[in-house]
Amino acid sequence: MRTAREAARLLAQALLRGPFEEEALVHRAAELATPPRRWVRPCVRRLIQAWSAAHRPTPRWVQTFLLRDPRFLQRWSTLHAPPLGATPSEMAPAQGAPSTWRIPALTTPEQLAAWLDVSFDALSARADCRGREARTLDGPMRNYRYTWKGKRSGDARLIESPKPQLRELQRRVLHHILNAIPPHEAAHGFRLGRSVVTFTAPHVRKRVVVRLDLKDFFPSVSGARIWALFYTAGYPDAVARQLAGLCWNAAPDDIWRDFPGTLPAAHSQLALARRYRDAHLPQGAPTSPALANLVAFRLDARLTGLANSASASYTRYADDLLFSGDDAFGRTADRFIGQVAAIVNDEGFRVHARKTRIMRQGVRQMAAGVVLNERPNIPRRDYEMLKAMLHRAWRAGPQPLPGQSMTTYRAHLAGKIAWAAQLNPRRGEKLQYIFEQIAWPAPPGESQHDITGA
């Protein structure tokens, strides 16, 4: 070993190959130390005493500690590289809830590749741990396809869609790892058994409803936070980096040529470009919604605590934050919003100030397309428009939009009816009755009898 920094890095990696407990740490450190090893245990004890947090220390933190420890600085030159038969890495989840997560034990990148049923070279090509995607020219070597979607505000959202091979690996990570880690109870988006209905239900018939929106929610989740989640779950650093590399993306600069919105001010544009260029959570990957919920766990916990202190309710659906309470809550709503914004900023997100709303009972209280004043309900205007659309299809025959197939058009209407019925069963029944009277043409190879069931 040529320098103290290199020695500290190797020792930090060895120490963190398993549980952060004194005997295990001493054993792993002793494998690198030449006799006499009397300095090892006191150094380990000082390390444990310095780290009082519940989560796992990072390799960088341990390395920094060692470089400040007087005994290590005296003895680092006596360390050697780990022997061939060194103690193998173990799963080492953080204290508390992570130790209960039923996730597959994968302690080396080679094990991860075998679990994903790909070669190690294929895993390395798909797990972008070094930001290769940002430097790769448009073509088959890229792992993502990029599409800008404009917003009514003049801004735009970047959809980063993984190509089939990467998408398949992400789905395996989602189903077997991420879905086994519970998000905070306040999170209602992208969860089995949760929906917009459960998101809005606690806020029905409340005197005051406060709605806030998080700006650039997905790209605001940095690669470091994605790695930290897998590391906290217990995966060794090398495995956590490979898993994070499968789930994050660093977008290339040339995507900005196709930006369809009104470009923001120069400094804002630069910040937005940097956020996409750095490793972040790509909107379009199957793992991203679950990861966003898990990374936002502490945000949800802090906002729940703030809401409880104000005798208010709190729920979150993706980037929508909803609070509600009585008149006393309403009198402090402005100050409360400032406190929410401070917590959001502290957790690495930003509040979209222009979308913040304070809705009192005298006006229509609405969130996520649901009216909250008396009961969860579809807005009357939306209901009347859908009913008119169904009447036209009943009287004049269904007429899909240009480029839309009859099957897609029918599924679109059926989905809207199901949404209305979920909020207001009586209205849903009326819409469903009209839908069933429409003379839908039979797809090729099927008769009208097959379609209607008559």
Side-chain angles (χ1 to χ4, degrees), residues 199-227:
F199 164 62
T200 55
H203 310 284
V204 174
R205 292 191 298 275
K206 293 295 183 71
R207 300 289 293 179
V208 180
V209 177
V210 174
R211 189 181 75 223
L212 298 96
D213 180 82
L214 300 181
K215 188 174 178 63
D216 301 323
F217 181 50
F218 281 88
S220 293
V221 178
S222 67
R225 299 177 76 176
I226 300 169
W227 168 85

Side-chain angles (χ1 to χ4, degrees), residues 298-414:
R298 199 171 78 159
L299 170 69
D300 289 332
R302 294 180 67 182
L303 292 180
T304 297
L306 178 65
N308 290 341
S309 70
S311 300
S313 301
Y314 163 68
T315 56
R316 179 179 61 81
Y317 192 98
D319 55 0
D320 288 335
L321 313 180
L322 208 54
F323 302 87
S324 63
D326 56 14
D327 288 331
F329 170 69
R331 286 192 292 271
T332 62
D334 289 326
R335 186 171 75 245
F336 183 85
I337 290 172
Q339 294 171 325
V340 170
I343 291 175
V344 168
N345 290 339
D346 193 43
E347 291 298 324
F349 299 100
R350 293 181 300 157
V351 168
H352 200 312
R354 288 185 298 175
K355 294 187 177 181
T356 299
R357 298 286 185 274
I358 300 175
M359 300 170 287
R360 304 183 188 277
Q361 210 168 41
V363 302
R364 187 173 69 170
Q365 298 170 328
M366 190 168 175
V370 180
V371 178
L372 308 173
N373 296 73
E374 295 298 328
R375 61 179 180 178
N377 207 347
I378 182 174
R380 172 170 289 279
R381 181 173 178 272
D382 293 354
Y383 170 71
E384 296 296 343
M385 287 179 63
L386 179 56
K387 187 166 70 169
M389 190 183 306
L390 291 169
H391 269 293
R392 282 197 303 270
W394 176 29
R395 295 180 182 278
Q399 299 175 3
L401 296 173
Q404 186 180 44
S405 70
M406 186 64 70
T407 301
T408 302
Y409 177 62
R410 178 174 180 167
H412 173 72
L413 290 180

Side-chain angles (χ1 to χ4, degrees), residues 39-61:
W39 65 275
V40 169
R41 188 176 295 275
C43 181
V44 164
R45 286 177 175 172
R46 288 192 296 273
L47 175 67
I48 294 173
Q49 185 177 10
W51 184 259
S52 58
H55 53 281
R56 291 177 70 189
T58 65
R60 178 170 298 193
W61 184 89

Side-chain angles (χ1 to χ4, degrees), residues 49-131:
Q49 185 177 10
W51 184 259
S52 58
H55 53 281
R56 291 177 70 189
T58 65
R60 178 170 298 193
W61 184 89
V62 175
Q63 180 179 340
T64 301
F65 169 86
L66 292 172
L67 289 173
R68 294 173 179 171
D69 185 76
R71 292 303 301 275
F72 172 82
L73 293 175
Q74 291 175 1
R75 302 291 298 177
W76 71 265
S77 59
T78 66
L79 296 176
H80 55 76
L84 192 60
T87 304
S89 297
E90 304 174 49
M91 294 288 287
Q95 299 176 15
S99 63
T100 67
W101 297 343
R102 301 177 65 85
I103 56 178
L106 306 166
T107 57
T108 66
E110 291 76 15
Q111 282 187 7
L112 174 61
W115 178 74
L116 290 169
D117 198 22
V118 296
S119 68
F120 182 74
D121 289 343
L123 171 62
S124 300
R126 300 290 173 261
D128 189 10
C129 298
R130 298 183 181 275

